[in-house]
Amino acid sequence: MKNTIQLNQKNLTQLSKQITVPSYDRTLLKAGLVHIGVGGFHRSHQAFYTDMLLEKTASLEWGICGVGLREGDRKIYEVLKKQDGLYTLIVKHPDGNKENRIIGSIVNFELGVGQPETVIEQMAHPDTRIVSLTITEGGYNFNPATGEFDYDNPDIQHELRSPHDPKTVYGYITAALEKRRIAGLPAFTVMSCDNIEHNGDVARKMLLAYVNRYDKSLAKWIEEEVCFPNSMVDRITPVTTSADIETLEKTVGISDEWPVSCEPFIQWIIEDNFSNGRPQFEEVGVQFVPNVKPYEKMKLRLLNAGHSVLGILGAIHGYTTINACMEDETFVRYLRAFMDKEATPVLDEVKGIDLSSYKDSLLERFANPNIKDSVSRICSESSAKLPKFLIPTIHENLNGQGNIQLSTLVIAAWCYYSDRQKDREGNSLEIIDSLGAELQKASRRTQTDQLAFVKQQAIFGDLAKNKRFTDLYSEMVNNIYKDADIKKYMDALL
Ligand code: CS2
């Protein structure tokens, strides 16, 4: 075993003997990018692209200042402070090969909790030109069925009353833009990197809904000055495990408290629509296009929905990883059939992309045996994910007389999953969902009202009023409650 070296700026030269480290001078970097939501995905994706860009162009303006707005961000804040923003990215190839690299693009980190002013100052700083977001599908604060801003959220009500004590991304961005406007500084771009169709448009609509209640003239300024590019982001990034940390220590000799592992594939397609300059990301493979919508839709309805299909059905069967699902012939065939028969028919034409090879590549990526992406990560926050990934496909197929069987089984399985919280053999499932209690309450009423679960309008819209859907769903839910051998029903649909 090698001697272990603590990952931090001081030790970088020493570490460079055993691992790729940043060759640019981090101490000279300005934080042109402020990023809210420094989870694994930001660190495997945008921060990685930025690291490559800094290597390639030595541009000094585009360091990242990470920001956390919630108490739950304290751990990453403390780890990154201790490690001077450095962390290891472990790219896991299907053949078992691993590439390790130290990422240096995060040069600062601020935690808003208890000291919101530091974050607001950072966003209002003249160096800041883009505020980017990975705040998850649920973080945008809209009602998925109506698409309208949720003013009833207590945090929103609080920050509208006390604008100097913001809680959500809307309160923070508003306070920072207000400062910039008063100081005569240009606005920054708000760059959403979440898995939401038209993510930039949604961020814009929600922010304006918020600001209009706060100060109409500021809202007008934002409307005119702030750009919100839409983007499609992609890289499968499982939750970091203690095995990742130990292996890094044993094989490379680095002590890194929170590395990130991910698949080799990476993609970022974004609209070239920025308020105040942007990094030359095209230098490192990012695609700039005039309209990203068809790409976004393709990715969300195939990849993300595909994940949820495997996740929910896999959880009930008793699989704990996505690659375990992909070792099962029934799951692979089911996934492909879902993509071909239900998701693809409602997609728009995607220029330059052969959908059939895109789907082949998804199957390969899901099957990567070294990623071990957990079913619990995929199923987490399904109440926010399915209304974006899967339920719109059902609605669109109902409108166009398309197939809905394969998607409907997933909804029926999700009801059972939310109610029993057990796999088919009775083993407990770990369910992570902010609406977990509501989902369970609604699903528990299934025995007396078969449609109780899908009557949750904020999630399903008017699905419970569509007879073609409800006939199918009722039969499926009835069957699963009688016998949770989910593969039996999957096979029957193939
Ligand atoms: C996953 C995504 O959260 C999920 O359910 O589908 O995190 C997925 O791995 C990424 O979007 C891949 O780009």
Side-chain angles (χ1 to χ4, degrees):
M1 207 216 284
K2 301 188 182 166
N3 284 339
T4 304
I5 303 172
Q6 172 66 45
L7 177 55
N8 58 36
Q9 179 70 29
K10 180 168 69 56
N11 293 340
L12 271 189
T13 322
Q14 204 185 341
L15 281 164
S16 67
K17 296 183 195 104
Q18 48 228 56
I19 189 167
T20 309
V21 303
S23 68
Y24 48 91
D25 186 351
R26 300 180 70 233
T27 59
L28 299 178
L29 289 178
K30 293 182 188 165
L33 292 151
V34 169
H35 183 79
I36 306 178
V38 185
F41 179 73
H42 170 70
R43 296 198 287 148
S44 75
H45 190 266
Q46 187 187 334
F48 167 70
Y49 272 119
T50 309
D51 183 73
M52 286 201 295
L53 181 75
L54 296 171
E55 283 295 342
K56 198 165 172 196
T57 64
S59 106
L60 299 177
E61 304 150 85
W62 297 112
I64 300 173
C65 173
V67 161
L69 301 183
R70 299 163 316 152
E71 189 51 40
D73 297 315
R74 191 173 293 281
K75 183 173 169 212
I76 187 68
Y77 165 75
E78 280 168 1
V79 169
L80 288 184
K81 276 280 173 205
K82 188 164 154 196
Q83 299 185 173
D84 301 316
L86 297 162
Y87 62 93
T88 318
L89 185 66
I90 311 164
V91 178
K92 296 180 173 174
H93 290 265
D95 62 4
N97 190 24
K98 284 188 196 140
E99 288 170 84
N100 302 313
R101 164 182 181 131
I102 305 293
I103 304 294
S105 51
I106 301 184
V107 289
N108 187 13
F109 200 116
E110 301 291 355
L111 191 67
V113 189
Q115 46 192 6
E117 202 49 40
T118 48
V119 169
I120 298 169
E121 288 299 338
Q122 184 71 41
M123 297 201 291
H125 193 279
D127 287 350
T128 300
R129 295 161 71 181
I130 297 176
V131 170
S132 53
L133 314 173
T134 44
I135 53 173
T136 78
E137 296 76 24
Y140 285 78
N141 194 53
F142 65 93
N143 176 323
T146 61
E148 297 305 322
F149 191 74
D150 176 13
Y151 290 103
D152 296 337
N153 176 340
D155 283 343
I156 298 285
Q157 291 188 353
H158 168 85
E159 57 193 1
L160 278 170
R161 274 195 311 268
S162 319
H164 298 295
D165 184 27
K167 299 279 176 222
T168 79
V169 67
Y170 299 112
Y172 276 92
I173 291 182
T174 304
L177 285 171
E178 184 174 42
K179 268 185 184 284
R180 294 184 83 95
R181 184 182 178 220
I182 292 169
L185 286 170
F188 47 67
T189 300
V190 175
M191 182 170 81
S192 165
C193 297
D194 282 292
N195 286 316
I196 297 184
E197 260 176 70
H198 320 166
N199 51 9
D201 297 348
V202 171
R204 179 175 196 273
K205 180 173 169 184
M206 296 307 131
L207 180 65
L208 287 174
Y210 177 84
V211 186
N212 262 309
R213 284 272 169 106
Y214 170 63
D215 174 350
K216 287 215 169 2
S217 82
L218 180 62
K220 190 154 183 302
W221 185 77
I222 293 176
E223 230 171 288
E224 283 160 9
E225 301 295 329
V226 180
C227 294
F228 298 79
N230 291 301
S231 67
M232 181 262 242
V233 292
D234 194 4
R235 187 170 225 184
I236 295 175
T237 308
V239 177
T240 305
T241 61
S242 46
D244 290 326
I245 297 174
E246 281 157 27
T247 311
L248 204 57
E249 216 168 297
K250 282 201 193 110
T251 58
V252 193
I254 297 187
S255 165
D256 178 347
E257 285 183 31
W258 205 339
V260 180
S261 72
C262 63
E263 63 169 342
F265 182 91
I266 185 162
Q267 192 170 33
W268 192 1
I269 310 184
I270 181 161
E271 290 170 358
D272 199 353
N273 174 27
F274 289 77
S275 324
N276 187 14
R278 65 161 173 85
Q280 298 304 301
F281 277 134
E282 62 272 38
E283 293 283 336
V284 289
V286 176
Q287 288 164 264
F288 286 89
V289 297
N291 176 13
V292 84
K293 288 175 185 161
Y295 302 94
E296 279 184 307
K297 185 168 176 185
M298 169 189 81
K299 191 248 166 176
L300 298 175
R301 305 291 188 91
L302 292 171
L303 186 151
N304 297 105
H307 255 163
S308 298
V309 166
L310 294 179
I312 303 276
L313 299 173
I316 296 189
H317 182 75
Y319 290 134
T320 55
T321 62
I322 292 297
N323 54 291
C325 299
M326 293 300 287
E327 280 163 28
D328 184 323
E329 178 72 8
T330 300
F331 277 74
V332 176
R333 285 178 51 226
Y334 195 91
L335 175 64
R336 185 71 198 214
F338 159 75
M339 289 179 174
D340 289 342
K341 295 186 183 157
E342 301 191 8
T344 307
V346 294
L347 293 182
D348 309 316
E349 192 208 333
V350 200
K351 266 215 186 93
I353 296 210
D354 171 13
L355 279 178
S356 174
S357 352
Y358 182 73
K359 288 182 267 189
D360 292 344
S361 78
L362 294 184
L363 298 193
E364 274 170 36
R365 290 169 62 195
F366 288 177
N368 183 335
N370 300 310
I371 292 297
K372 300 192 173 53
D373 200 4
S374 61
V375 158
S376 71
R377 178 185 87 87
I378 296 301
C379 295
S380 69
E381 304 303 336
S382 283
S383 63
K385 290 175 181 175
L386 297 192
K388 280 140 198 128
F389 303 163
L390 183 68
I391 296 165
T393 294
I394 304 181
H395 281 291
E396 287 165 35
N397 276 321
L398 284 170
N399 290 339
Q401 300 308 312
N403 285 326
I404 58 161
Q405 281 91 334
L406 301 155
S407 314
T408 304
L409 183 67
V410 179
I411 304 295
W414 185 31
C415 174
Y416 178 86
Y417 163 98
S418 307
D419 177 350
R420 299 293 159 89
Q421 316 212 339
K422 291 196 162 56
D423 70 15
R424 78 194 148 108
E425 285 182 342
N427 303 307
S428 290
L429 296 169
E430 187 202 7
I431 299 193
I432 309 161
D433 202 307
S434 336
L435 294 186
E438 283 90 331
L439 292 172
Q440 189 173 40
K441 202 167 150 216
S443 57
R444 289 225 155 135
R445 292 180 26 236
T446 302
Q447 307 292 1
T448 47
D449 171 5
Q450 268 185 338
L451 298 179
F453 189 65
V454 290
K455 279 183 183 164
Q456 300 175 92
Q457 251 226 330
I459 295 177
F460 295 99
D462 281 344
L463 219 46
K465 293 190 183 138
N466 185 295
K467 188 158 176 343
R468 185 151 78 92
F469 172 79
T470 53
D471 283 352
L472 195 60
Y473 172 82
S474 306
E475 189 192 329
M476 286 175 170
V477 93
N478 199 16
N479 285 340
I480 301 176
Y481 271 83
K482 272 199 230 129
D483 174 3
D485 183 3
I486 197 76
K487 264 176 77 169
K488 191 164 73 185
Y489 312 116
M490 292 166 72
D491 273 321
L493 296 176
L494 292 172

